[in-house]
Amino acid sequence: MTISNKIKPEIVYLRGNVLVPAKSLSYKKDPKTGETKPIPAKTHKFENELKEDIAKELENVDKFPTREKVFVSIVYGFHSKKEFEKCDLDNRAKTILDALEGPVYINDNQVKMIWSHKNLLNNNEESFYRLSVKILDASIERKLIKEINNLI
């Protein structure tokens, strides 16, 4: 039995034909001063759109935004081998976790567990991402930890 068969998330969100932008910090040398300066990530548009969409979906759901700890699962499917190979999971996850702050949880420090992976789609399907959120309690957390420890 897999984790997904045992744990029923409160939120499942699937979005196709879109790539999650990476929230990474890059640097550029200022030609005038020679100083290296950080260039902020350009993820605001994606984050705001996701935040709005999730907020609409959860408008009448009393559980959200939760103040409890949560488990977040993020799956990426890529139809492009190039995108698959250059996908930096942690930076893309950060983009999504920041977008969930507000409609799903109060602060992203409530994310106690994250499961993230990427798949290369062998046919010409569109790229997608799927996220799910489960509010944690001690029993669910123990089940997840046990299952994950059995996998690794």
Side-chain angles (χ1 to χ4, degrees):
M1 191 174 262
T2 65
I3 294 172
S4 61
N5 291 338
K6 292 181 178 182
I7 307 298
K8 302 282 188 235
E10 281 85 13
I11 298 172
V12 176
Y13 181 86
L14 177 66
R15 180 98 186 266
N17 202 24
V18 66
L19 290 173
V20 177
K23 186 166 238 173
S24 59
L25 194 60
S26 52
Y27 298 88
K28 185 175 183 179
K29 194 171 199 169
D30 185 323
K32 293 178 183 176
T33 65
E35 185 181 358
T36 301
K37 295 183 177 184
I39 302 169
K42 297 179 181 175
T43 58
H44 296 301
K45 182 179 182 211
F46 176 89
E47 287 177 36
N48 290 336
E49 288 173 358
L50 177 57
K51 189 181 294 262
E52 256 181 55
D53 204 22
I54 295 285
K56 284 180 194 171
E57 293 289 326
L58 298 176
E59 197 170 52
N60 296 314
V61 181
D62 292 339
K63 289 182 180 183
F64 296 101
T66 184
R67 293 187 177 279
E68 304 300 321
K69 298 293 184 193
V70 296
F71 167 64
V72 178
S73 170
I74 307 168
V75 178
Y76 306 93
F78 295 95
H79 74 279
S80 160
K81 186 174 182 179
K82 180 182 174 184
E83 284 294 328
F84 173 81
E85 289 175 350
K86 76 175 197 175
C87 173
D88 191 350
L89 285 176
D90 63 320
N91 290 332
R92 292 182 193 236
K94 180 68 175 144
T95 300
I96 289 177
L97 296 175
D98 286 349
L100 298 180
E101 194 171 271
V104 176
Y105 40 73
I106 306 304
N107 190 293
D108 63 4
N109 67 11
Q110 292 170 246
V111 178
K112 188 161 184 189
M113 302 176 83
I114 301 170
W115 178 275
S116 184
H117 68 277
K118 59 184 179 177
N119 298 307
L120 179 60
L121 307 172
N122 292 326
N123 51 25
N124 286 337
E125 295 179 42
E126 63 187 28
S127 294
F128 72 90
Y129 70 95
R130 177 190 185 270
L131 68 95
S132 56
V133 178
K134 177 68 182 169
I135 297 173
L136 289 175
D137 64 28
S139 170
I140 292 168
E141 189 175 343
R142 279 192 303 275
K143 286 179 189 176
L144 283 168
I145 290 170
K146 182 179 178 184
E147 196 67 32
I148 290 168
N149 285 334
N150 286 336
L151 292 173
I152 54 175

